[in-house]
Amino acid sequence: MLNIDRISKTFFAGTVNERKALVDLSLKLDEGDFVTVIGSNGAGKSTLLNAISGRYTVDTGELSIDGAPVSKLKEHQRAKYVGRVFQDPMAGTAPDLTIEQNLSLALQRGKSRGLGLSLTRAKRDLFVEELKSLELGLERRLPAKVGLLSGGQRQALSLLMAGFTQPRILLLDEHTAALDPQRAALVTDLTERIVAQGGLTTLMVTHNMEQALKLGNRLIMMHEGRIVFQATAEQKRELTVPDLLSEFAKIKGATFDDRALLA
Ligand SMILES: Nc1ncnc2c1ncn2[C@@H]1O[C@H](COP(=O)(O)OP(=O)(O)O)[C@@H](O)[C@H]1O
Ligand SMILES: [Mg+2]
């Protein structure tokens, strides 16, 4: 359903600051694939997600979703295909709007018309139901401004909102990295549930190799803008963290620092 065909992206091309963030990268995702993405800092993981969401246009190559080319579409034109949760809990929700207003907007997104902020009884009931499932007590705080919530609460809300929009593809960029271990575990569980419920095709970047192995049905490892290792569903079941580290050690040019960063 997602076809990425030989995309490249270079920042500051031709200057001393040139950064080849993506190099001739190809990747195909089938409907319902849940792919975890690992790699050292600067490997191009976020750039890959940004290329899919349309935040950055690629220099060369093509991206298509459900057979339709999207490379030329602007970020807002791709919004109906793409749901995103970022590392920064502040990025995914509107802090000055209330919990119910944020949820309303998410429910509205991708639909052609309507009053995004209008709240019907049915909508409110749905929100209460969904928020209860988070077990964070947010169902009692519908009129509270989202800016008042903790990082973990905001990430949970962002995920719920991403699920509401039923995106064709869900992009998660280290969305548990800024949370304490307990909150991170909660948001990880929620991620599994929302992806499974919606059968969402998902790309999830994580620094946590245990998590990369535990979640999803496929895994890719990136380095210097390329995919340097891939595991299919069957291979992934057998893989261990030491296996991943030894795969990483095989990469030409990878330094010990890169290894440390990956772990
Ligand atoms: N907006 C940008 N402007 C300039 N360089 C960038 C930008 N975004 C990413 N890069 C560079 O592209 C490379 C890949 O970055 P990134 O995709 O953020 O890596 P990762 O998410 O794997 O850590 C890095 O060298 C980074 O410095
Ligand atoms: Mg990144």
Side-chain angles (χ1 to χ4, degrees):
M1 58 89 41
L2 172 72
N3 191 9
I4 298 176
D5 190 23
R6 305 189 64 175
I7 58 168
S8 296
K9 176 74 181 174
T10 302
F11 293 102
F12 307 121
T15 76
V16 286
N17 292 319
E18 182 171 286
R19 292 273 184 283
K20 287 193 163 76
L22 296 174
V23 183
D24 226 13
L25 183 146
S26 297
L27 177 69
K28 270 191 183 147
L29 264 58
D30 289 327
E31 184 89 44
D33 268 346
F34 181 173
V35 183
T36 55
V37 184
I38 57 173
S40 53
N41 274 342
K45 305 180 297 294
S46 294
T47 304
L48 173 62
L49 267 50
N50 282 318
I52 296 168
S53 73
R55 174 146 306 183
Y56 300 153
T57 53
V58 293
D59 302 328
T60 55
E62 264 300 332
L63 294 107
S64 63
I65 295 177
D66 299 328
V70 297
S71 314
K72 303 280 183 301
L73 297 183
K74 300 247 175 357
E75 189 171 20
H76 69 272
Q77 293 170 310
R78 294 189 212 182
K80 65 169 185 273
Y81 298 115
V82 178
R84 275 197 93 149
V85 183
F86 301 86
Q87 177 173 353
D88 179 3
M90 303 306 147
T93 45
D96 294 331
L97 298 182
T98 66
I99 293 179
E100 56 193 351
Q101 286 170 332
N102 270 277
L103 289 169
S104 277
L105 284 174
L107 203 56
Q108 188 57 39
R109 201 178 308 147
K111 295 181 186 160
S112 57
R113 234 166 240 280
L115 296 169
L117 290 174
S118 83
L119 282 159
T120 60
R121 183 64 194 270
K123 265 203 216 172
R124 238 186 216 127
D125 288 348
L126 171 71
F127 297 161
V128 167
E129 191 71 16
E130 293 288 335
L131 288 169
K132 266 189 189 158
S133 73
L134 301 181
E135 296 176 23
L136 293 168
L138 295 180
E139 68 278 7
R140 295 188 297 274
R141 300 176 63 187
L142 282 178
K145 291 248 167 72
V146 163
L148 299 172
L149 304 183
S150 71
Q153 289 170 329
R154 284 183 76 159
Q155 289 304 67
L157 197 61
S158 296
L159 266 175
L160 202 61
M161 287 164 59
F164 269 0
T165 58
Q166 285 291 310
R168 293 295 293 138
I169 181 154
L170 177 63
L171 305 174
L172 306 171
D173 196 352
E174 302 193 40
H175 68 306
T176 64
L179 307 177
D180 65 60
Q182 200 187 338
R183 298 284 183 198
L186 189 143
V187 171
T188 301
D189 288 349
L190 180 66
T191 304
E192 285 192 282
R193 187 151 61 78
I194 284 181
V195 169
Q197 262 171 14
L200 298 178
T201 307
T202 303
L203 268 172
M204 184 184 82
V205 177
T206 176
H207 261 91
N208 182 331
M209 282 194 280
E210 302 266 2
Q211 193 181 50
L213 290 174
K214 183 172 162 265
L215 299 187
N217 67 325
R218 291 169 56 188
L219 176 146
I220 63 177
M221 181 188 287
M222 289 182 65
H223 186 66
E224 294 184 344
R226 296 182 166 88
I227 295 173
V228 291
F229 174 75
Q230 301 210 38
T232 60
E234 300 87 77
Q235 291 165 335
K236 191 162 172 291
R237 277 194 285 275
E238 309 286 317
L239 272 178
T240 62
V241 170
D243 291 338
L244 287 179
L245 285 173
S246 77
E247 283 301 331
F248 197 76
K250 285 186 209 158
I251 302 168
K252 212 168 137 250
T255 64
F256 182 76
D257 270 0
D258 288 329
R259 274 191 71 172
L261 283 167
L262 182 71

